[in-house]
Amino acid sequence: DGGITQSPKYLFRKEGQNVTLSCEQNLNHDAMYWYRQDPGQGLRLIYYSQIVNDFQKGDIAEGYSVSREKKESFPLTVTSAQKNPTAFYLCASSIGQVIRNEQFFGPGTRLTVL
Amino acid sequence: QKEVEQNSGPLSVPEGAIASLNCTYSDRVSQSFFWYRQYSGKSPELIMSIYSNGDKEDGRFTAQLNKASQYVSLLIRDSQPSDSATYLCAVIDSARQLTFGSGTQLTVLP
């Protein structure tokens, strides 16, 4: 059963703590993405990766870090430097960064800072 | 800053009516256009893709693209209460990045 999984579904973070959000896909997609969504707003790109061991910053990368050691996995770390991390985090994947680049989303992780 | 603009709504239509959702984009070189449906608390789901001028139909959904006017729309025929959701317009721009609008909230009234 192909798809994108994200864990955990809900995550609570204390001030000054780093947390890591998991994203795994078994669609054999080359490209993976992390977005952030705040209430009533569209999605904003945090980081993306087109191939293993390579990734680029999106529009709002400050306070976040990623790694792409395996094609299937693209974890996102929200560091203590991210001052307002409470949001809905969405991972997506696509065949590649081509013109007709249909992106498919995982179920999301809702992060709350206590 | 490349932009994708949508009316935030809420847009309310009676059951069985046609819902019309609109989107404009600023990057004239954009080539690929998508509509996602997002239910409350859930992740976006791709429902339509369109790449060339004109209409593209899929079941009750029709996407319309006019590149000269930099305008893309989504029509939902025979609207059902289950269509109540936020609809996100997304555009791949000249930098091959997917940019999302802020979404239009649609409510279909029984």
Side-chain angles (χ1 to χ4, degrees):
Chain A
D1 201 15
I4 304 171
T5 58
Q6 291 186 243
S7 62
K9 185 174 182 180
Y10 298 98
L11 185 58
F12 298 92
R13 193 193 94 166
K14 295 180 181 179
E15 295 281 351
Q17 199 176 40
N18 292 355
V19 292
T20 297
L21 284 59
S22 170
C23 177
E24 304 275 334
Q25 55 96 2
N26 61 3
L27 300 169
N28 199 32
H29 284 172
D30 286 319
M32 297 186 74
Y33 311 82
W34 274 104
Y35 292 91
R36 168 181 172 144
Q37 186 176 37
D38 293 282
Q41 298 189 33
L43 281 65
R44 292 184 290 168
L45 183 64
I46 304 173
Y47 269 98
Y48 64 100
S49 168
Q50 298 180 59
I51 56 172
V52 174
N53 293 323
D54 186 49
F55 47 84
Q56 288 79 39
K57 294 181 179 179
D59 299 324
I60 56 166
E62 185 175 352
Y64 300 98
S65 66
V66 294
S67 62
R68 187 87 187 274
E69 297 177 0
K70 299 186 300 181
K71 186 176 183 177
E72 304 79 23
S73 178
F74 191 40
L76 172 74
T77 296
V78 183
T79 74
S80 57
Q82 171 50 238
K83 296 306 178 188
N84 186 22
T86 295
F88 189 35
Y89 290 86
L90 291 155
C91 178
S93 71
S94 68
I95 292 174
Q97 206 174 22
V98 295
I99 296 297
R100 299 190 175 193
N101 185 25
E102 294 183 341
Q103 293 186 18
F104 300 92
F105 286 86
T109 292
R110 199 167 295 276
L111 174 63
T112 302
V113 174
L114 300 175
Chain B
Q1 180 76 18
K2 301 185 177 80
E3 294 182 346
V4 177
E5 300 285 345
Q6 296 180 252
N7 290 329
S8 60
L11 173 66
S12 295
V13 300
E15 184 174 354
I18 296 175
S20 177
L21 305 164
N22 304 316
C23 173
T24 60
Y25 57 93
S26 63
D27 186 350
R28 185 171 293 277
V29 188
S30 298
Q31 299 189 44
S32 302
F33 308 86
F34 307 93
W35 284 99
Y36 286 83
R37 177 176 63 199
Q38 186 174 25
Y39 292 113
S40 180
K42 302 296 185 182
S43 63
E45 173 192 9
L46 180 65
I47 55 171
M48 288 290 282
S49 308
I50 187 166
Y51 308 105
S52 54
N53 279 329
D55 295 359
K56 178 182 178 182
E57 186 175 318
D58 184 0
R60 296 186 295 111
F61 297 100
T62 299
Q64 300 176 315
L65 176 61
N66 184 327
K67 289 185 178 181
S69 300
Q70 296 176 231
Y71 176 91
V72 57
S73 65
L74 178 71
L75 301 178
I76 306 175
R77 291 183 301 281
D78 188 24
S79 295
Q80 302 296 310
S82 59
D83 294 325
S84 298
T86 296
Y87 290 80
L88 301 169
C89 173
V91 175
I92 292 184
D93 59 31
S94 53
R96 297 194 176 185
Q97 293 298 331
L98 190 63
T99 299
F100 285 84
S102 57
T104 298
Q105 183 180 345
L106 172 67
T107 300
V108 180
L109 304 170

